[in-house]
């Protein structure tokens, strides 16, 4: 497999073409951005940590039957992935209220939600990734059908129940996370993008210490040490 020209550069990753039109190389960057990239930073080694964390979590989810775009890891910070058409929705699943949910609805920060809440955000930087409901998604053709919307919700909940249990055993509360999905050339919905402390919130179960990108968003101190701690706990037996 030969890595070819840059196809797309996002905030957290670069995608390169390969000599196989159905496969891409995804390279995890050290850049950190928040608040629609108004806050920027760089943390050497962050990309490699996220690549390792995301690879482990995708493998875990594959074992439970979730189909993903991951083919294999290539090196510390890159993966070979299947090319998919990204569905322009951020699927957010929440177990504990914080972040934009508490701001929007005035819910007390840290409140345990009565059930896993699934939300859709329209991926559009110019619009600041607005929250959308099912009818917005259908009206704007962001998904093909109501069945696909239901499938995204089902996948979000299933990913949540696997990851929540996995992290509970490791002394971490999975507060919320964001996932993205894509459609492959056979029309399958695959889990795509990444699952990492850039796209999840992890609170230490004992101390409630934040061990995710909120450290960067809120200036809470060393980001890399926290990400290393997440990887260490994932690799714990
Ligand atoms: P929020 O509380 O800011 O809406 O974030 C909910 C979850 O989604 C949190 O785990 C962070 C993640 N997220 C992203 O990965 N990318 C984004 O652009 C946003 C807004 C949230
Ligand atoms: N708006 C999000 C944030 O505040 C964007 C991101 O997660 O990169 O961090």
């Amino acid at each position: 497999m030969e890595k070819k020209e840059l196809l797309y550069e996002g905030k957290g990753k670069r995608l390169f073409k390969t000599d196989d039109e159905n496969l891409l190389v995804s390279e995890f960057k050290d850049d950190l951005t928040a608040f629609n990239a108004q806050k920027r930073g760089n943390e050497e080694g962050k990309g490699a940590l996220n690549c390792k964390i995301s690879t482990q979590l995708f493998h875990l989810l594959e074992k439970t039957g979730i189909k993903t775009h991951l083919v294999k890891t290539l090196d510390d910070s890159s993966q070979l992935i299947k090319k998919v058409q990204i569905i322009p929705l951020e699927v957010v699943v929440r177990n504990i209220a914080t972040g934009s949910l508490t701001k929007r609805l005035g819910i007390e920060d840290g409140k345990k939600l009565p059930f896993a809440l699934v939300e859709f955000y329209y991926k559009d930087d110019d619009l600041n990734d607005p929250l959308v409901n099912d009818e917005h998604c259908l009206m704007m053709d962001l998904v093909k059908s109501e069945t696909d919307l239901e499938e995204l919700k089902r996948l979000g909940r299933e990913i949540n129940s696997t990851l929540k249990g996995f992290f509970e055993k490791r002394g971490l509360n999975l507060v919320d996370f964001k996932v993205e999905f894509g459609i492959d050339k056979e029309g399958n919905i695959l889990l795509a993008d990444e699952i990492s402390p850039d796209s999840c919130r992890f609170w230490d179960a004992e101390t409630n210490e934040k061990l995710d990108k909120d450290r960067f968003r809120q200036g809470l101190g060393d980001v890399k040490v926290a990400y290393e701690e997440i990887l260490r706990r994932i690799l714990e037996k």
Side-chain angles (χ1 to χ4, degrees), residues 33-36 213 217:
T33 64
F35 312 117
N36 214 7
K213 202 170 88 172
R217 293 189 187 97

Side-chain angles (χ1 to χ4, degrees), residues 90 92 94 98-101 121 129 176-178 198-201 217:
E90 298 197 332
V92 169
R94 303 177 187 268
T98 195
S100 70
L101 182 70
Y121 292 83
D129 298 347
D176 55 30
F177 64 90
K178 181 267 302 180
D198 274 7
S199 59
C200 302
R201 288 192 174 102
R217 293 189 187 97

Side-chain angles (χ1 to χ4, degrees), residues 11 31-43 46 50 90 92 94 98-101 103 109 121 128-129 175-180 193-194 196-203 210-224 226-227:
K11 285 181 275 201
D31 299 7
L32 278 153
T33 64
F35 312 117
N36 214 7
Q38 283 175 52
K39 183 173 170 124
R40 289 162 187 273
N42 185 282
E43 194 70 53
K46 191 272 298 185
N50 275 1
E90 298 197 332
V92 169
R94 303 177 187 268
T98 195
S100 70
L101 182 70
K103 281 204 196 85
D109 196 274
Y121 292 83
N128 231 336
D129 298 347
V175 174
D176 55 30
F177 64 90
K178 181 267 302 180
V179 278
E180 296 184 27
D193 195 53
E194 68 180 280
S196 75
D198 274 7
S199 59
C200 302
R201 288 192 174 102
F202 298 109
W203 293 354
K210 296 177 183 183
L211 297 170
D212 54 67
K213 202 170 88 172
D214 274 348
R215 299 187 71 79
F216 170 73
R217 293 189 187 97
Q218 301 169 13
L220 299 177
D222 205 325
V223 173
K224 225 179 101 180
Y227 285 33

